[in-house]
Every structure is written in C-alpha cells, then in structure tokens.
Amino acid sequence: MKILSAALATAGAFALALAGTAPAMAAGRDIDPGDSMYTVSCDALVDIYNDWQFMSVAPTTAVSKPIGDGTGNQDLDSCADQPAYDASTGKSYYVRITFDGEDSHWALASVNVTTGASTTVAEFLWENGEFPTLPRIDAIAIAPNGTAYALGDGTLWSLDLTNATVEPIGETLSAQAFASDPRTGEFYAIEYGGDVYSFDDIANTGSVTLVGSLAHPDLDLDGEATGVRALQIDGDGTFWIVVDTREGLSDLWSFTQAALTSPVLSGLFTDDPFFTQALLIVPGAALAATGADLSAAPYLAGGAALAVIAGGAVLLIRRRRA
C-alpha cells in the first residue's frame, strides 16, 4: 500500500533548476468548452501555500491561480486526494488528509469553487457493527445522479456525502485516480503504474476490466518515483490525469481511450511549481446555472510563462505506492 505523502518527508532539500519557460503558445490540448479545471495543493513538500489551497488550472499549460487563502495557516502536514463534482447538487468535494505526527487521517471535505473556501464534512467512517472503523480513503467519484463511491484499502465503498459514512461493496484495485464519465456515468480508475480500468457493475461489485495501459516515451510510469495520482473526465470524454515527477512536483497530462499510447503533456503545475495529487473538473453549464463567478475560472491559454526557480529547494518525500 502507498503511504501518506506528507508523513515521511526526507530531511534535506533538493535543488531545482527548471530547464526553461513555457512556450508562448499552448502546450497541451484544451478542456471541453465551458468546463473548468481546479486543483488542491499538497503541502507535504514545501510550505508555499496555506493548507488545502484551492486553485484554478489552465488546462493547456497547467499554470495555476490561487483562489482564496486555503485554511489560512501552514501549521498542518496536509494533502488532498481525488476530488469529485456532484451534478445533482452542484457541490464539489475532495479527500482531505492530515498527519498529526503519529497517525494519518482521511476526511471528506466540500469546497466552494468561487471562493476557494473548503469545509470538513467528517472523517470517513465505516459503522462496522460494534467496531466502528475509520478507513483510509484514497479517492472519491460521483455519478451524474449523485451516487458516490470511494476507493481505499483495496476496497470499493459506497459513500454518503452528507456525513462521510462508507459501506464496503467489494474488493478491488488500489488507485488514487478515480472518476465518473459525465456523459455516460461509467466509472474508471487508473493504477499508479498507468493501467486504466473500467468498473463492471460498480453498484454491486468491485470487479473491473482492463481498458489498456498508458505509454509514452516521456511519461515514465515504470520508474521508481512517477505515477498517476488523480483522474477527471471532461464533457468531451477526454481523460485528464495528474502525474508526479521525480523532482517532487506534478505534471498535467490528457488522453483519450482511443489513444492510450499518445497522451498529451500540458505542463508542470505551477504558480510557483508545486506538488498536487488532486484534480477537479466542473462542467461549464453547472457554473452558469449556479451563478458562479466565472472570473475564478482558469487562466486563458497562451502567453502564460512558467516560473523559473534557480537554486530553490523542496523536501523530497517517500511516495505512496500501490
């Protein structure tokens, strides 16, 4: 099993020298028109942002813009896992992780995409008869009708979004990248090493079918320190993933089911370059319907340059591994 990224930060620093800046034109493909992309920073590496800083993301470049101020402090060893949007209520959620020095805690949090403010709903709880359990949850996904599921401890769980209680459905793969296709309601998960799966009957079993494996000369998923951390699917059916890098940062890639061997790199997540393992897509129609402030949408593509950090330092961490 993978361990919490924040828990085992290696003492010392790794000097980063990024090779250059982003090209003037967009590097990657764009998201389905009207959809908006977001992320939540993982503060396990460096205290660049307040805990659980919510950010809009430009899909073509991964250049990110903070929305709000996170929790307003940098006191916690914190991280965030796979978010999901609930089309039935217009609410967005993510997995909130904290490490108190001895134990890790996994909770459900909701987030306002306009203000960036997020609130803990509750720690995930399995009311297991006389022995209630606080399970580790690595990812959540929500069907278009609002039915929610979670992955964790090699188990598929049903999820109550009102109180974060879960019930086991069946054994399944271990993955952080988990999402529902907003067009079809079908669920997909991607293991850390790049194998893509669809769920056969998610309401009743944890069984999956292999769709295929991601492959690309510049997407090293067979290495010791890179892998798929998060997944979302836009309104056009394009898959978007977060992949961690050997330098302790994160890249944004996209692909289609018909072209698993041709994923497209958008770029390094950067305001200052930061680590994330959370990705959220909100449909444009949903934002318009709720009257959300579209000024908080991601940057327009083109002309946004990546910051160059010379002699900067980030703490390396032991990554959660499947």
Side-chain angles (χ1 to χ4, degrees):
M1 295 294 295
K2 303 182 293 290
I3 59 176
L4 178 63
S5 297
L8 297 176
T10 302
F14 188 95
L16 291 180
L18 298 183
T21 60
M25 299 302 291
R29 61 162 56 91
D30 206 350
I31 203 169
D32 189 51
D35 289 2
S36 296
M37 181 179 289
Y38 305 92
T39 190
V40 186
S41 68
C42 180
D43 203 41
L45 286 171
V46 286
D47 293 332
I48 297 175
Y49 306 107
N50 291 329
D51 298 310
W52 301 298
Q53 177 64 59
F54 191 68
M55 310 180 86
S56 63
V57 180
T60 55
T61 61
V63 172
S64 304
K65 176 182 178 183
I67 301 175
D69 297 319
T71 64
N73 67 71
Q74 297 180 357
D75 297 335
L76 300 175
D77 283 332
S78 66
C79 201
D81 271 350
Q82 183 66 69
Y85 172 74
D86 183 355
S88 70
T89 63
K91 294 182 178 180
S92 298
Y93 300 87
Y94 66 92
V95 177
R96 173 175 280 191
I97 312 169
T98 55
F99 180 70
D100 62 13
E102 294 183 359
D103 299 311
S104 300
H105 302 272
W106 291 267
L108 179 68
S110 62
V111 60
N112 183 312
V113 301
T114 301
T115 66
S118 58
T119 304
T120 298
V121 175
E123 280 195 68
F124 293 103
L125 172 65
W126 176 24
E127 295 177 340
N128 185 17
E130 297 180 3
F131 306 99
T133 302
L134 299 174
R136 169 182 174 145
I137 297 298
D138 292 317
I140 61 172
I142 306 172
N145 66 2
T147 305
Y149 300 93
L151 294 180
D153 287 331
T155 301
L156 172 67
W157 309 78
S158 62
L159 169 63
D160 188 331
L161 294 169
T162 64
N163 57 17
T165 57
V166 295
E167 289 289 336
I169 295 174
E171 293 184 1
T172 192
L173 49 84
S174 294
Q176 286 177 262
F178 182 37
S180 174
D181 187 329
R183 306 165 307 156
T184 65
E186 188 170 4
F187 286 80
Y188 296 87
I190 306 177
E191 288 187 313
Y192 189 77
D195 289 337
V196 182
Y197 294 88
S198 62
F199 282 81
D200 300 328
D201 181 9
I202 197 166
N204 298 296
T205 74
S207 62
V208 294
T209 296
L210 179 65
V211 175
S213 300
L214 292 171
H216 188 278
D218 298 323
L219 185 63
D220 181 13
L221 297 177
D222 294 324
E224 291 298 320
T226 59
V228 181
R229 295 286 185 177
L231 167 67
Q232 288 283 266
I233 304 171
D234 70 17
D236 192 40
T238 299
F239 287 56
W240 296 83
I241 56 174
V242 175
V243 177
D244 57 11
T245 73
R246 292 183 181 279
E247 292 78 21
L249 300 171
S250 305
D251 281 332
L252 177 66
W253 292 77
S254 61
F255 67 92
T256 64
Q257 285 197 62
L260 293 177
T261 58
S262 302
V264 175
L265 174 64
S266 291
L268 186 74
F269 281 91
T270 184
D271 171 30
D272 287 327
F274 63 95
F275 179 67
T276 180
Q277 49 191 34
L279 191 66
L280 172 69
I281 289 178
V282 175
L287 287 173
T290 57
D293 181 5
L294 296 182
S295 66
Y299 289 130
L300 294 177
L306 293 175
V308 178
I309 307 299
V314 296
L315 295 179
L316 292 180
I317 60 172
R318 293 186 184 274
R319 298 297 176 70
R320 290 187 292 176
R321 300 304 305 271

